[in-house]
Amino acid sequence: MPELEKVFKRIDGYREEVIQIQAELTSRKALGPENGGTGEHEKAGFIMELFKKMNPDILDEIRAPDERAQDGYRPSLIAQWKNSKKEMTVWVLSHSDIVPPGDLSLWNSDPYKTRVEGDRIIGRGVEDNQHGFISSYLALKAVLDSGYELNRTVGLAAVADEETGSAYGLGYLLKKHGEQFNKNDLIIVPDGGNEDGTMIEVAEKSMLWVKFTVTGKQCHASTPDKGKNSLFGAARLIVTLERLKKKFNISDDLFRPPISTFEPTKMEANVPNINTIPGRDIFYVDCRILPCYRVDEIFAACREIGDETGSELGLEIQVEITYREDAKEPTSPDAPVVKSLTKAIKRVTGKDARPMGIGGGTVAAFFRQAGLPVAVWSTVSDTAHQPNEYCLISNVLADAKVFACLYMD
Ligand SMILES: [Zn+2]
Protein backbone atom coordinates (compact mmCIF):
# COMPACT_ATOMS: atom_id res chain seq x y z
CA MET A 1 0.00 0.00 0.00
CA PRO A 2 1.83 3.12 -1.21
CA GLU A 3 -0.28 5.36 1.05
CA LEU A 4 0.98 3.56 4.12
CA GLU A 5 4.58 3.94 2.90
CA LYS A 6 4.06 7.70 2.68
CA VAL A 7 2.68 7.79 6.20
CA PHE A 8 5.69 5.78 7.41
CA LYS A 9 7.99 8.31 5.77
CA ARG A 10 6.23 11.14 7.52
CA ILE A 11 6.55 9.32 10.84
CA ASP A 12 10.30 8.90 10.22
CA GLY A 13 10.50 12.69 10.11
CA TYR A 14 8.97 13.11 13.59
CA ARG A 15 12.13 12.80 15.72
CA GLU A 16 11.98 16.47 16.76
CA GLU A 17 8.27 16.20 17.54
CA VAL A 18 8.92 13.25 19.86
CA ILE A 19 11.65 15.18 21.69
CA GLN A 20 9.56 18.31 22.01
CA ILE A 21 6.34 16.62 23.17
CA GLN A 22 8.26 14.49 25.66
CA ALA A 23 9.79 17.68 27.12
CA GLU A 24 6.39 19.39 27.40
CA LEU A 25 4.66 16.40 28.99
CA THR A 26 7.51 15.65 31.40
CA SER A 27 7.59 19.25 32.69
CA ARG A 28 3.91 18.94 33.74
CA LYS A 29 4.06 16.81 36.89
CA ALA A 30 1.01 14.59 36.90
CA LEU A 31 1.07 13.08 40.37
CA GLY A 32 -2.07 11.82 42.07
CA PRO A 33 -2.87 12.78 45.68
CA GLU A 34 -1.60 9.46 47.02
CA ASN A 35 1.74 10.26 45.40
CA GLY A 36 1.90 13.73 46.92
CA GLY A 37 0.47 15.66 43.95
CA THR A 38 -2.75 17.44 43.00
CA GLY A 39 -3.67 15.50 39.86
CA GLU A 40 -3.19 15.39 36.11
CA HIS A 41 -4.83 18.72 35.18
CA GLU A 42 -1.87 20.54 33.63
CA LYS A 43 -0.76 17.59 31.56
CA ALA A 44 -4.31 16.77 30.49
CA GLY A 45 -4.71 20.41 29.43
CA PHE A 46 -1.68 20.12 27.17
CA ILE A 47 -2.96 16.87 25.64
CA MET A 48 -6.39 18.46 25.14
CA GLU A 49 -4.74 21.19 23.01
CA LEU A 50 -2.92 18.56 20.92
CA PHE A 51 -6.22 16.78 20.31
CA LYS A 52 -8.04 20.02 19.41
CA LYS A 53 -5.51 20.82 16.69
CA MET A 54 -6.53 17.60 14.94
CA ASN A 55 -10.26 18.47 14.89
CA PRO A 56 -11.74 15.43 16.61
CA ASP A 57 -15.43 14.62 16.12
CA ILE A 58 -15.79 13.97 19.83
CA LEU A 59 -13.64 15.45 22.58
CA ASP A 60 -14.60 14.92 26.20
CA GLU A 61 -13.04 15.58 29.54
CA ILE A 62 -14.40 13.10 32.06
CA ARG A 63 -14.14 14.46 35.59
CA ALA A 64 -13.96 11.86 38.35
CA PRO A 65 -14.79 13.56 41.66
CA ASP A 66 -11.80 13.48 44.03
CA GLU A 67 -11.85 16.10 46.75
CA ARG A 68 -8.13 15.69 47.40
CA ALA A 69 -7.29 16.83 43.86
CA GLN A 70 -7.07 20.28 42.29
CA ASP A 71 -10.60 21.65 41.66
CA GLY A 72 -12.04 18.48 43.23
CA TYR A 73 -11.72 16.14 40.27
CA ARG A 74 -9.35 13.96 38.21
CA PRO A 75 -9.38 14.55 34.45
CA SER A 76 -9.48 11.79 31.82
CA LEU A 77 -9.71 12.65 28.12
CA ILE A 78 -11.33 10.79 25.29
CA ALA A 79 -11.29 11.89 21.67
CA GLN A 80 -12.65 10.28 18.52
CA TRP A 81 -12.05 10.75 14.82
CA LYS A 82 -14.95 9.13 13.03
CA ASN A 83 -15.16 6.96 10.03
CA SER A 84 -18.77 6.38 9.18
CA LYS A 85 -18.14 3.34 6.96
CA LYS A 86 -17.20 1.02 9.78
CA GLU A 87 -18.82 0.51 13.13
CA MET A 88 -15.63 -0.51 14.82
CA THR A 89 -13.22 1.79 16.66
CA VAL A 90 -9.49 1.38 17.24
CA TRP A 91 -8.89 2.62 20.77
CA VAL A 92 -5.49 3.39 22.18
CA LEU A 93 -5.64 4.13 25.87
CA SER A 94 -2.67 5.58 27.73
CA HIS A 95 -2.43 7.18 31.16
CA SER A 96 -1.30 10.68 32.01
CA ASP A 97 -0.23 10.19 35.61
CA ILE A 98 3.27 9.25 36.71
CA VAL A 99 4.98 7.88 39.81
CA PRO A 100 7.28 10.16 41.85
CA PRO A 101 10.98 10.19 40.90
CA GLY A 102 11.99 8.49 44.17
CA ASP A 103 15.52 9.03 45.51
CA LEU A 104 16.79 12.08 43.57
CA SER A 105 20.42 11.20 44.22
CA LEU A 106 19.97 8.21 41.90
CA TRP A 107 19.06 10.49 38.98
CA ASN A 108 21.81 11.96 36.80
CA SER A 109 19.66 14.99 36.00
CA ASP A 110 16.38 16.72 36.90
CA PRO A 111 13.64 14.08 36.38
CA TYR A 112 11.23 16.73 35.12
CA LYS A 113 13.60 18.17 32.49
CA THR A 114 14.10 15.75 29.64
CA ARG A 115 17.61 15.05 28.42
CA VAL A 116 18.40 13.60 24.98
CA GLU A 117 21.33 11.23 24.46
CA GLY A 118 21.36 9.91 20.92
CA ASP A 119 18.26 7.75 20.55
CA ARG A 120 17.42 8.06 24.24
CA ILE A 121 15.15 10.54 26.00
CA ILE A 122 15.52 10.52 29.77
CA GLY A 123 12.96 11.83 32.29
CA ARG A 124 10.16 10.76 34.62
CA GLY A 125 7.20 9.50 32.61
CA VAL A 126 8.88 9.30 29.20
CA GLU A 127 8.34 5.56 29.02
CA ASP A 128 5.47 5.16 31.48
CA ASN A 129 3.28 6.18 29.79
CA GLN A 130 4.19 9.08 27.48
CA HIS A 131 5.81 6.70 25.00
CA GLY A 132 2.44 5.03 24.43
CA PHE A 133 0.53 8.28 24.18
CA ILE A 134 2.98 9.93 21.77
CA SER A 135 3.20 6.95 19.40
CA SER A 136 -0.61 6.67 19.17
CA TYR A 137 -0.94 10.45 18.71
CA LEU A 138 1.81 10.84 16.10
CA ALA A 139 0.42 7.92 14.11
CA LEU A 140 -2.89 9.72 13.81
CA LYS A 141 -1.24 13.05 13.04
CA ALA A 142 0.80 11.43 10.27
CA VAL A 143 -2.31 9.94 8.63
CA LEU A 144 -4.31 13.16 8.87
CA ASP A 145 -1.42 15.43 7.78
CA SER A 146 -0.88 13.19 4.75
CA GLY A 147 -4.47 13.92 3.76
CA TYR A 148 -5.50 10.27 3.89
CA GLU A 149 -8.72 8.92 5.27
CA LEU A 150 -8.95 6.75 8.29
CA ASN A 151 -10.33 3.35 7.48
CA ARG A 152 -11.58 2.90 11.00
CA THR A 153 -12.83 5.26 13.66
CA VAL A 154 -9.89 6.12 15.88
CA GLY A 155 -10.28 6.80 19.59
CA LEU A 156 -7.49 8.11 21.80
CA ALA A 157 -7.83 8.18 25.56
CA ALA A 158 -5.52 9.67 28.20
CA VAL A 159 -6.74 8.58 31.60
CA ALA A 160 -5.89 9.63 35.15
CA ASP A 161 -4.97 7.56 38.19
CA GLU A 162 -3.40 4.48 36.62
CA GLU A 163 -0.53 4.42 39.10
CA THR A 164 -2.71 4.32 42.20
CA GLY A 165 -5.47 1.92 41.27
CA SER A 166 -7.48 3.53 38.41
CA ALA A 167 -10.60 4.19 40.51
CA TYR A 168 -10.47 7.85 39.38
CA GLY A 169 -9.34 6.94 35.87
CA LEU A 170 -10.33 3.98 33.73
CA GLY A 171 -12.47 2.52 36.51
CA TYR A 172 -14.60 5.68 36.60
CA LEU A 173 -14.59 6.04 32.81
CA LEU A 174 -15.98 2.53 32.30
CA LYS A 175 -18.56 2.97 35.03
CA LYS A 176 -19.89 6.28 33.70
CA HIS A 177 -19.15 6.05 29.98
CA GLY A 178 -18.75 2.35 29.37
CA GLU A 179 -21.00 2.65 26.32
CA GLN A 180 -18.09 4.31 24.49
CA PHE A 181 -16.39 0.94 24.21
CA ASN A 182 -17.69 -1.96 22.18
CA LYS A 183 -16.97 -5.68 22.06
CA ASN A 184 -16.00 -5.33 18.39
CA ASP A 185 -13.54 -2.50 19.01
CA LEU A 186 -9.81 -3.04 18.87
CA ILE A 187 -8.60 -1.82 22.26
CA ILE A 188 -4.88 -1.43 22.84
CA VAL A 189 -3.17 -0.35 26.04
CA PRO A 190 0.44 0.60 25.21
CA ASP A 191 1.59 0.32 28.82
CA GLY A 192 3.69 -2.82 28.90
CA GLY A 193 5.67 -4.96 26.54
CA ASN A 194 9.17 -6.07 25.80
CA GLU A 195 12.30 -4.72 24.13
CA ASP A 196 11.65 -6.03 20.64
CA GLY A 197 7.92 -5.40 20.59
CA THR A 198 6.95 -9.05 20.22
CA MET A 199 4.95 -9.48 23.40
CA ILE A 200 1.19 -8.95 23.24
CA GLU A 201 -0.23 -9.34 26.73
CA VAL A 202 -3.67 -10.97 26.73
CA ALA A 203 -3.98 -12.60 30.14
CA GLU A 204 -3.04 -12.14 33.76
CA LYS A 205 -2.68 -14.46 36.70
CA SER A 206 -4.67 -14.03 39.89
CA MET A 207 -2.88 -12.23 42.68
CA LEU A 208 -3.08 -13.36 46.30
CA TRP A 209 -1.11 -11.94 49.21
CA VAL A 210 -1.25 -14.04 52.35
CA LYS A 211 -0.20 -12.97 55.84
CA PHE A 212 1.03 -15.65 58.25
CA THR A 213 1.15 -14.80 61.96
CA VAL A 214 3.02 -17.35 64.06
CA THR A 215 2.45 -16.97 67.78
CA GLY A 216 4.47 -18.83 70.39
CA LYS A 217 5.82 -17.67 73.75
CA GLN A 218 8.66 -15.24 74.28
CA CYS A 219 11.40 -16.18 76.77
CA HIS A 220 15.11 -15.90 77.56
CA ALA A 221 17.31 -17.49 74.91
CA SER A 222 19.15 -19.57 77.52
CA THR A 223 15.95 -21.40 78.56
CA PRO A 224 14.13 -22.37 75.36
CA ASP A 225 11.96 -24.92 77.17
CA LYS A 226 10.19 -22.05 78.99
CA GLY A 227 8.89 -20.60 75.71
CA LYS A 228 7.87 -21.44 72.14
CA ASN A 229 10.12 -20.14 69.38
CA SER A 230 7.95 -18.42 66.74
CA LEU A 231 10.87 -17.79 64.37
CA PHE A 232 11.62 -21.49 64.20
CA GLY A 233 7.92 -22.05 63.48
CA ALA A 234 7.93 -19.41 60.74
CA ALA A 235 11.00 -20.99 59.15
CA ARG A 236 9.44 -24.45 59.20
CA LEU A 237 6.22 -23.03 57.81
CA ILE A 238 8.01 -21.29 54.92
CA VAL A 239 9.71 -24.55 54.00
CA THR A 240 6.46 -26.52 54.28
CA LEU A 241 4.69 -24.00 52.04
CA GLU A 242 6.94 -25.23 49.22
CA ARG A 243 4.30 -27.94 48.97
CA LEU A 244 2.06 -25.41 47.16
CA LYS A 245 4.41 -25.55 44.18
CA LYS A 246 3.98 -29.31 43.87
CA LYS A 247 0.26 -29.33 44.49
CA PHE A 248 -0.55 -26.54 42.02
CA ASN A 249 1.98 -27.37 39.36
CA ILE A 250 0.03 -27.01 36.11
CA SER A 251 2.08 -25.25 33.45
CA ASP A 252 0.60 -23.02 30.76
CA ASP A 253 2.91 -21.82 28.00
CA LEU A 254 0.81 -18.74 27.37
CA PHE A 255 2.27 -17.32 30.59
CA ARG A 256 5.66 -16.01 31.56
CA PRO A 257 6.67 -17.75 33.79
CA PRO A 258 4.42 -20.68 32.73
CA ILE A 259 3.64 -21.81 36.30
CA SER A 260 1.92 -20.37 39.35
CA THR A 261 4.41 -18.78 41.76
CA PHE A 262 4.36 -18.79 45.58
CA GLU A 263 7.07 -16.61 47.06
CA PRO A 264 7.68 -15.64 50.71
CA THR A 265 8.52 -11.93 50.56
CA LYS A 266 8.12 -9.56 53.48
CA MET A 267 9.10 -10.50 57.05
CA GLU A 268 8.21 -8.19 59.91
CA ALA A 269 10.74 -7.41 62.63
CA ASN A 270 10.48 -9.49 65.82
CA VAL A 271 12.66 -9.05 68.90
CA PRO A 272 15.34 -6.33 68.88
CA ASN A 273 17.96 -8.32 70.79
CA ILE A 274 19.75 -11.60 70.24
CA ASN A 275 19.24 -13.18 73.66
CA THR A 276 15.44 -13.31 73.52
CA ILE A 277 13.49 -16.10 71.83
CA PRO A 278 10.74 -14.40 69.82
CA GLY A 279 7.10 -15.13 70.64
CA ARG A 280 5.61 -13.71 67.46
CA ASP A 281 6.66 -13.68 63.80
CA ILE A 282 4.78 -12.35 60.82
CA PHE A 283 5.62 -12.96 57.19
CA TYR A 284 3.87 -12.68 53.84
CA VAL A 285 3.63 -14.82 50.72
CA ASP A 286 2.98 -13.35 47.26
CA CYS A 287 1.09 -15.83 45.04
CA ARG A 288 0.55 -15.37 41.28
CA ILE A 289 -1.92 -18.03 40.27
CA LEU A 290 -2.75 -19.40 36.85
CA PRO A 291 -6.42 -18.79 36.00
CA CYS A 292 -7.06 -22.58 35.96
CA TYR A 293 -6.94 -22.51 39.78
CA ARG A 294 -9.40 -20.74 42.05
CA VAL A 295 -7.93 -18.30 44.54
CA ASP A 296 -10.06 -19.89 47.27
CA GLU A 297 -8.52 -23.32 46.82
CA ILE A 298 -5.02 -21.87 47.10
CA PHE A 299 -5.97 -20.01 50.26
CA ALA A 300 -7.53 -23.16 51.72
CA ALA A 301 -4.26 -25.01 51.06
CA CYS A 302 -2.31 -22.23 52.83
CA ARG A 303 -4.60 -22.57 55.84
CA GLU A 304 -4.27 -26.33 55.92
CA ILE A 305 -0.47 -26.12 55.91
CA GLY A 306 -0.66 -23.45 58.64
CA ASP A 307 -2.88 -25.64 60.85
CA GLU A 308 -0.72 -28.71 60.33
CA THR A 309 2.55 -26.92 61.12
CA GLY A 310 0.94 -25.18 64.10
CA SER A 311 -0.29 -28.35 65.75
CA GLU A 312 2.97 -30.15 65.01
CA LEU A 313 5.03 -27.47 66.79
CA GLY A 314 2.48 -26.34 69.38
CA LEU A 315 2.20 -22.86 67.92
CA GLU A 316 -0.78 -20.78 66.95
CA ILE A 317 -0.71 -19.94 63.26
CA GLN A 318 -3.13 -17.42 61.81
CA VAL A 319 -3.53 -17.23 58.03
CA GLU A 320 -5.16 -14.18 56.44
CA ILE A 321 -5.63 -12.63 53.01
CA THR A 322 -4.28 -9.09 52.77
CA TYR A 323 -4.96 -8.62 49.05
CA ARG A 324 -6.53 -10.62 46.29
CA GLU A 325 -7.37 -9.98 42.70
CA ASP A 326 -8.98 -12.84 40.83
CA ALA A 327 -7.86 -13.22 37.23
CA LYS A 328 -10.31 -11.89 34.68
CA GLU A 329 -11.39 -13.89 31.66
CA PRO A 330 -8.33 -13.63 29.37
CA THR A 331 -8.56 -11.99 25.97
CA SER A 332 -8.53 -14.79 23.41
CA PRO A 333 -5.18 -15.20 21.63
CA ASP A 334 -7.34 -15.31 18.48
CA ALA A 335 -9.19 -12.05 19.22
CA PRO A 336 -9.25 -9.55 16.31
CA VAL A 337 -7.16 -7.06 18.29
CA VAL A 338 -4.39 -9.63 18.66
CA LYS A 339 -4.58 -10.68 15.00
CA SER A 340 -4.54 -7.08 13.74
CA LEU A 341 -1.65 -6.12 15.99
CA THR A 342 0.36 -9.19 15.01
CA LYS A 343 -0.13 -8.37 11.35
CA ALA A 344 0.82 -4.71 11.82
CA ILE A 345 3.94 -5.56 13.84
CA LYS A 346 5.05 -8.01 11.14
CA ARG A 347 4.48 -5.32 8.50
CA VAL A 348 6.54 -2.70 10.35
CA THR A 349 9.38 -4.66 11.98
CA GLY A 350 9.22 -8.04 10.25
CA LYS A 351 8.98 -9.71 13.65
CA ASP A 352 6.56 -12.38 14.80
CA ALA A 353 4.74 -11.21 17.90
CA ARG A 354 2.95 -13.62 20.19
CA PRO A 355 0.18 -13.42 22.76
CA MET A 356 1.31 -13.91 26.35
CA GLY A 357 0.12 -13.85 29.93
CA ILE A 358 1.91 -12.10 32.78
CA GLY A 359 1.93 -12.02 36.58
CA GLY A 360 -0.85 -9.48 36.92
CA GLY A 361 -1.58 -5.89 37.76
CA THR A 362 -2.26 -3.99 34.51
CA VAL A 363 -5.10 -1.59 33.83
CA ALA A 364 -6.32 -3.94 31.08
CA ALA A 365 -8.03 -5.97 33.81
CA PHE A 366 -10.75 -3.28 33.92
CA PHE A 367 -11.58 -3.85 30.25
CA ARG A 368 -11.53 -7.63 30.69
CA GLN A 369 -13.81 -7.30 33.71
CA ALA A 370 -16.25 -5.45 31.44
CA GLY A 371 -16.03 -8.25 28.88
CA LEU A 372 -14.03 -6.20 26.38
CA PRO A 373 -11.11 -7.83 24.55
CA VAL A 374 -7.90 -5.82 25.03
CA ALA A 375 -4.23 -6.18 24.20
CA VAL A 376 -1.39 -4.61 26.17
CA TRP A 377 1.45 -3.88 23.81
CA SER A 378 4.38 -1.54 23.21
CA THR A 379 8.11 -1.69 22.51
CA VAL A 380 9.77 -0.66 25.74
CA SER A 381 13.09 -0.95 27.53
CA ASP A 382 11.31 -1.62 30.83
CA THR A 383 12.64 1.37 32.79
CA ALA A 384 9.25 2.39 34.18
CA HIS A 385 9.35 3.61 37.82
CA GLN A 386 13.17 3.52 37.81
CA PRO A 387 15.58 6.42 38.23
CA ASN A 388 16.82 7.73 34.87
CA GLU A 389 13.73 6.28 33.15
CA TYR A 390 14.15 6.51 29.39
CA CYS A 391 12.50 5.73 26.09
CA LEU A 392 14.04 5.18 22.67
CA ILE A 393 12.92 7.59 19.96
CA SER A 394 13.24 4.82 17.38
CA ASN A 395 10.80 2.66 19.38
CA VAL A 396 8.26 5.49 19.68
CA LEU A 397 8.40 5.95 15.89
CA ALA A 398 8.20 2.21 15.14
CA ASP A 399 5.19 1.87 17.47
CA ALA A 400 3.59 4.86 15.72
CA LYS A 401 3.89 3.00 12.42
CA VAL A 402 2.15 -0.02 13.91
CA PHE A 403 -0.71 2.21 15.08
CA ALA A 404 -0.86 3.85 11.65
CA CYS A 405 -1.36 0.38 10.12
CA LEU A 406 -4.26 -0.21 12.51
CA TYR A 407 -5.85 3.18 11.77
CA MET A 408 -5.57 2.70 7.99
CA ASP A 409 -5.99 -1.06 7.65
ZN1 LIG B 1 2.05 2.78 33.22
Side-chain angles (χ1 to χ4, degrees), residues 59-235:
L59 179 57
D60 267 332
E61 184 187 50
I62 315 291
R63 299 181 167 187
D66 182 352
E67 56 186 24
R68 305 164 304 168
Q70 180 189 325
D71 305 325
Y73 72 91
R74 306 285 291 278
S76 290
L77 305 177
I78 49 174
Q80 268 185 291
W81 290 260
K82 294 273 187 196
N83 175 294
S84 47
K85 281 176 282 178
K86 276 187 198 153
E87 285 296 288
M88 163 221 275
T89 300
V90 183
W91 283 104
V92 187
L93 179 128
S94 41
H95 64 84
S96 54
D97 62 322
I98 53 165
V99 292
D103 184 351
L104 286 176
S105 70
L106 298 174
W107 285 80
N108 300 328
S109 53
D110 183 343
Y112 296 114
K113 278 199 191 108
T114 50
R115 204 154 47 86
V116 182
E117 276 176 14
D119 194 24
R120 229 176 239 208
I121 305 177
I122 302 143
R124 175 51 90 226
V126 292
E127 176 179 293
D128 185 15
N129 186 216
Q130 291 158 205
H131 171 130
F133 167 72
I134 294 172
S135 52
S136 62
Y137 159 77
L138 287 179
L140 183 61
K141 182 172 157 58
V143 178
L144 299 178
D145 285 358
S146 303
Y148 297 132
E149 263 196 51
L150 298 167
N151 281 331
R152 286 168 168 150
T153 293
V154 172
L156 298 185
V159 297
D161 194 34
E162 192 275 338
E163 300 292 359
T164 45
S166 292
Y168 302 96
L170 183 60
Y172 186 82
L173 181 59
L174 284 174
K175 215 187 293 165
K176 296 285 173 181
H177 300 273
E179 77 287 347
Q180 294 279 352
F181 302 96
N182 226 294
K183 276 198 169 58
N184 299 326
D185 292 347
L186 306 181
I187 305 174
I188 298 140
V189 174
D191 192 22
N194 63 356
E195 253 174 304
D196 65 357
T198 55
M199 173 176 152
I200 301 174
E201 188 260 290
V202 294
E204 291 178 23
K205 295 175 186 172
S206 296
M207 281 168 74
L208 172 68
W209 294 349
V210 187
K211 178 183 183 184
F212 292 87
T213 305
V214 181
T215 309
K217 191 168 170 236
Q218 187 176 311
C219 68
H220 197 281
S222 62
T223 54
D225 52 315
K226 290 193 176 152
K228 285 267 176 218
N229 192 329
S230 58
L231 180 58
F232 180 81

